[in-house]
Amino acid sequence: MKKLIASLMLLGLFLGAVLLAVPHPRELYSLITADEPSALPVPVQGVSLGAIADTWGSPRGSDREHKGVDIFAKRGTPVLAPVRGLVLDIGQNRLGGNIVRLLGPGLQVHYFAHLDRFGPVKEYEFVQRGDVIGYVGNTGNAKDTPPHLHYGIYAYRQGAINPYPLLMAGGGKPVSLGMG
């Protein structure tokens, strides 16, 4: 019970801070109260479902498991927002290298890692499905692998969830380039 209360308080603080930073609070409210997507398009331009392997849960070193899918593509291939959302973070970390985190419908956070470079997005900016958020690369702990996008989804209640079934439910439809 204490953990639940602490989680709710943390969520409240987070949402309060985001509401202060976001210029369009109604759009944020609409986003976080929307249903989680039941299907997603492939977020790498020109990549079909056949090129994506379900690597969820595969060992990564001796102490962790893969919490996403890797989508291999040519370096510099556009990575497109699979949902409308709010850019929470643009930066670097040790494992992911160049990363973007996007808050999507239903409080899901979409995580894009190993980017070669970032797209024309800014923190706390809303993006539409299809907007370019970055470009495929191999930064972070992927420096010795072929270029790819690590795509992960983190749900508010469940934690990390496997994106593969959502991509399969999307039927391999590509994200079309956005206009904004």
Side-chain angles (χ1 to χ4, degrees), residues 85-162:
L86 175 70
V87 178
L88 292 177
D89 187 23
I90 300 170
Q92 290 89 28
N93 67 36
R94 183 178 60 82
L95 293 176
N98 293 332
I99 61 105
V100 172
R101 286 186 183 93
L102 179 68
L103 178 64
L107 288 174
Q108 287 185 335
V109 175
H110 298 255
Y111 176 72
F112 308 88
H114 307 313
L115 300 172
D116 184 59
R117 63 190 189 280
F118 304 110
V121 294
K122 297 181 176 94
E123 286 185 350
Y124 304 119
E125 170 183 78
F126 285 95
V127 295
Q128 299 304 312
R129 181 175 164 164
D131 285 352
V132 176
I133 58 172
Y135 299 89
V136 171
N138 63 339
T139 59
N141 69 349
K143 65 180 178 278
D144 295 325
T145 69
H148 67 280
L149 170 70
H150 170 90
Y151 177 47
I153 302 174
Y154 297 84
Y156 171 62
R157 288 189 174 90
Q158 301 114 297
I161 62 172
N162 187 352

Side-chain angles (χ1 to χ4, degrees), residues 49-62:
L49 286 177
I52 303 171
D54 186 2
T55 56
W56 176 264
S58 298
R60 293 295 190 261
S62 62

Side-chain angles (χ1 to χ4, degrees), residues 17-32:
V18 169
L19 280 171
L20 291 173
V22 174
H24 304 287
R26 284 186 187 157
E27 191 172 354
L28 177 60
Y29 178 78
S30 171
L31 179 69
I32 64 176

Side-chain angles (χ1 to χ4, degrees), residues 4-88:
L4 175 64
I5 291 170
S7 294
L8 289 173
M9 288 176 60
L10 184 61
L11 177 63
L13 288 171
F14 168 75
L15 290 176
V18 169
L19 280 171
L20 291 173
V22 174
H24 304 287
R26 284 186 187 157
E27 191 172 354
L28 177 60
Y29 178 78
S30 171
L31 179 69
I32 64 176
T33 58
D35 291 335
E36 298 171 352
S38 58
L40 291 169
V42 177
V44 178
Q45 185 176 336
V47 173
S48 67
L49 286 177
I52 303 171
D54 186 2
T55 56
W56 176 264
S58 298
R60 293 295 190 261
S62 62
D63 61 341
R64 61 187 182 87
E65 294 180 345
H66 197 232
K67 297 296 183 192
V69 295
D70 291 331
I71 304 172
F72 289 87
K74 183 179 171 189
R75 179 183 312 284
T77 303
V79 174
L80 309 173
V83 294
R84 136 182 105 90
L86 175 70
V87 178
L88 292 177

